[in-house]
Amino acid sequence: MVRKIGTMVLAGAMILSMSMTALAANSPSKGRGGSSAVGKSSVATVSSGAGSSTTSRAETEGAWKLEGNTWRFKKSDGSDWKGSWIVSKHQWYYLDADGNMVQGWKQINGVWYYFSASVSTNQPVGSCYLDRITPDGYRVDANGAWIK
């Protein structure tokens, strides 16, 4: 079932405006996040052309909300996604245990991932780098995991 969630506006150059659609159900993750997380590893389709880190995975139900200086992703009932992977505008994001959008390096279940700390080409703030070189020169694989 596809539902229109609404329109959101994010600050600055991150994303000016967008409409979101989402599938009503998300499957549990396979060791990547909390119990409400999306199953990232089994369904990500990466497009590495022109340095993009996108996925064809269905959008996670909810909407971004700026609270203070941090972005949170709200479920349709108003509660926060916490300790979870989500997909928004074809990008993977991770929300920490408090529901805050992660930026920079983050170790999740023993694996290091890099989440954009600033806007760059095809890489919105907070989105996970996939199959790319991070700004500090490290390589991550198609699932976003740091290649040691």
Side-chain angles (χ1 to χ4, degrees):
M1 174 178 154
V2 177
R3 279 193 289 172
K4 185 169 177 92
I5 300 301
T7 300
M8 69 179 186
V9 178
L10 302 181
M14 182 180 164
I15 300 172
L16 297 177
S17 175
M18 67 182 177
S19 292
M20 294 177 51
T21 57
L23 292 177
N26 288 319
S27 61
S29 76
K30 293 188 176 187
R32 291 267 173 129
S35 60
S36 62
V38 176
K40 179 176 180 294
S41 62
S42 62
V43 293
T45 301
V46 177
S47 170
S48 58
S52 70
S53 290
T54 61
T55 181
S56 62
R57 173 73 173 166
E59 298 284 311
T60 303
E61 182 177 348
W64 288 107
K65 182 175 182 188
L66 182 62
E67 293 182 356
N69 291 327
T70 189
W71 286 101
R72 302 170 75 78
F73 200 75
K74 301 286 187 177
K75 298 178 184 178
S76 58
D77 67 5
S79 64
D80 292 328
W81 287 93
K82 294 181 180 181
S84 300
W85 287 99
I86 62 141
V87 174
S88 177
K89 291 300 284 181
H90 308 288
Q91 300 283 334
W92 285 106
Y93 294 84
Y94 188 77
L95 303 166
D96 67 19
D98 295 322
N100 300 312
M101 175 198 286
V102 170
Q103 295 180 31
W105 285 101
K106 173 76 174 169
Q107 188 175 33
I108 303 166
N109 296 327
V111 178
W112 285 99
Y113 299 90
Y114 184 79
F115 299 87
S116 182
S118 61
V119 176
S120 65
T121 305
N122 298 319
Q123 199 71 53
V125 170
S127 62
C128 186
Y129 271 52
L130 305 176
D131 197 25
R132 293 186 69 179
I133 303 293
T134 63
D136 52 356
Y138 293 94
R139 182 96 179 137
V140 293
D141 67 17
N143 288 314
W146 171 47
I147 300 171
K148 298 178 184 179

